[in-house]
Amino acid sequence: MTAPARLSPGDPAPEFTLPTDTGDQVTLADLRGRKVILYAYPAAMTPGCTKQACDFRDSLASLQAAGYEVIGISPDKPEKLAKFRERDAISFPLVADTDKTVLTAYGAYGEKQSYGRTVTGVIRSTFVIDEDGKIERALYNVKATGHVAKLRRDLGLD
């Protein structure tokens, strides 16, 4: 596998309909007219992913006040996502992309460097999607810690 194709500002955001931790489905098309922050993380209930999810949770009210919906996406099964949501009081949708099709379409799954080795997996990424379904920002290889604060600054919210 080679490095995945990356999205750029202005690209159409790949459409998706995915199951959530609650058994509902989230469809990107249903979110037209709203700004969406879609963030890809490797695995629920791991230290870095927990830190990132809690940072989004703690910033959710101000992100929503600025018109943003937050969605987390990982290859975890909905059952694991439900445990993650409950354990850490995650207050936004977590969607399951178990076959990694959507993660791949966003360029958030593929070869990456991990501790000096090339591995295949989820590339921690964040996508800001505008009201028309276009990529406004595509941020790859973001850090779990401090990323939400940097994103808030970049979006002019701090």
Side-chain angles (χ1 to χ4, degrees):
M1 179 178 249
T2 59
R6 295 196 164 182
L7 297 173
S8 298
D11 288 346
E15 290 294 337
F16 63 82
T17 299
L18 291 171
T20 71
D21 57 299
T22 63
D24 295 328
Q25 299 226 318
V26 170
T27 300
L28 185 58
D30 290 346
L31 297 169
R32 283 292 179 278
R34 291 183 264 174
K35 296 179 276 190
V36 177
I37 296 171
L38 177 69
Y39 81 96
Y41 61 97
M45 299 199 287
T46 57
C49 296
T50 298
K51 172 71 175 136
Q52 188 177 23
C54 290
D55 284 352
F56 271 115
R57 176 200 66 204
D58 295 346
S59 289
L60 189 62
S62 65
L63 289 168
Q64 287 177 331
Y68 292 94
E69 299 289 329
V70 175
I71 300 170
I73 181 173
S74 78
D76 295 309
K77 293 183 173 152
E79 299 79 23
K80 184 176 181 185
L81 297 176
K83 289 177 186 169
F84 186 35
R85 175 192 280 269
E86 186 173 317
R87 185 191 79 176
D88 294 297
I90 306 299
S91 50
F92 53 84
L94 300 172
V95 297
D97 184 21
T98 56
D99 67 4
K100 305 167 193 80
T101 304
V102 176
L103 288 163
T104 301
Y106 276 81
Y109 185 83
E111 284 186 358
K112 63 180 184 173
Q113 293 297 311
S114 180
Y115 302 105
R117 296 179 333 167
T118 300
V119 298
T120 300
V122 174
I123 299 162
R124 191 181 303 276
S125 308
T126 300
F127 306 93
V128 179
I129 303 166
D130 72 15
E131 298 90 339
D132 298 321
K134 300 260 193 245
I135 298 292
E136 188 175 297
R137 295 171 192 262
L139 309 167
Y140 294 94
N141 296 308
V142 301
K143 302 286 182 213
T145 302
H147 171 62
V148 175
K150 182 180 181 329
L151 180 64
R152 290 174 52 77
R153 284 191 305 276
D154 290 350
L155 294 173
L157 302 178
D158 286 339

